[in-house]
Amino acid sequence: MKIKIINYFAISSFLIGVILLIVLIFQFSLSGYKFSINEINIEDSSKIVSIIQGLLSTIWLITTISLLFLTFFLQKEELQKTTTSFKIQNEDTHFFNLLNAFLSIRNNVEFSFYVEEFNSENAFPTLNEKT
């Protein structure tokens, strides 16, 4: 929600600046100011540029600050997604390392069985009776 508001605010302030620039240029042309490369009146030009600079720099500063906050919030979201991804990857890696350790231990263990053969004669011990 914050990101949408900041995004709309940045776009609207930029468009307001562009519209204001167009209106100022149109207003200066209606007031009789003519721009010519051959004839430049430095005093009038500096006044006009100061007005445009004062108005547009303030509006576009607001645009810049809102885009800065937008960048901050987007990076914060990406950091949370990356952190979650790293946690999942860490759990997967840990699981497979445990599985590899188990398989390595299982392959290295040798089983030996001692098998004793029994005959029917010595299968059941008998009691020797002394008489």
Side-chain angles (χ1 to χ4, degrees):
M1 185 66 182
K2 287 181 186 179
I3 294 174
K4 285 185 179 181
I5 292 172
I6 293 174
N7 198 9
Y8 290 139
F9 189 70
I11 291 170
S12 63
S13 63
F14 177 76
L15 291 177
I16 287 172
V18 170
I19 291 170
L20 183 64
L21 178 65
I22 292 170
V23 167
L24 286 174
I25 291 172
F26 185 69
Q27 184 68 29
F28 288 129
S29 67
L30 288 180
S31 67
Y33 181 78
K34 301 286 184 190
F35 178 74
S36 172
I37 295 176
N38 297 332
E39 295 178 19
I40 296 177
N41 188 350
I42 295 185
E43 187 176 315
D44 289 340
S45 297
S46 67
K47 289 178 185 177
I48 291 171
V49 169
S50 295
I51 292 171
I52 292 173
Q53 179 185 4
L55 292 173
L56 293 181
S57 65
T58 305
I59 292 172
W60 284 341
L61 177 68
I62 293 169
T63 303
T64 304
I65 291 172
S66 62
L67 288 174
L68 180 71
F69 280 115
L70 182 65
T71 304
F72 171 73
F73 287 125
L74 290 175
Q75 285 180 348
K76 188 176 177 182
E77 282 184 3
E78 285 297 320
L79 178 65
Q80 289 173 348
K81 290 177 184 176
T82 304
T83 303
T84 305
S85 175
F86 280 146
K87 285 181 182 178
I88 291 170
Q89 183 180 5
N90 189 18
E91 291 173 1
D92 289 345
T93 304
H94 184 67
F95 171 75
F96 286 112
N97 284 339
L98 286 175
L99 186 63
N100 286 335
F102 170 73
L103 293 174
S104 174
I105 291 170
R106 188 189 72 180
N107 290 335
N108 292 329
V109 170
E110 293 180 10
F111 293 105
S112 61
F113 296 101
Y114 176 71
V115 179
E116 185 177 327
E117 293 185 24
F118 290 102
N119 295 337
S120 60
E121 297 172 359
N122 63 3
F124 297 103
T126 58
L127 297 175
N128 292 335
E129 295 181 22
K130 292 185 183 181
T131 54

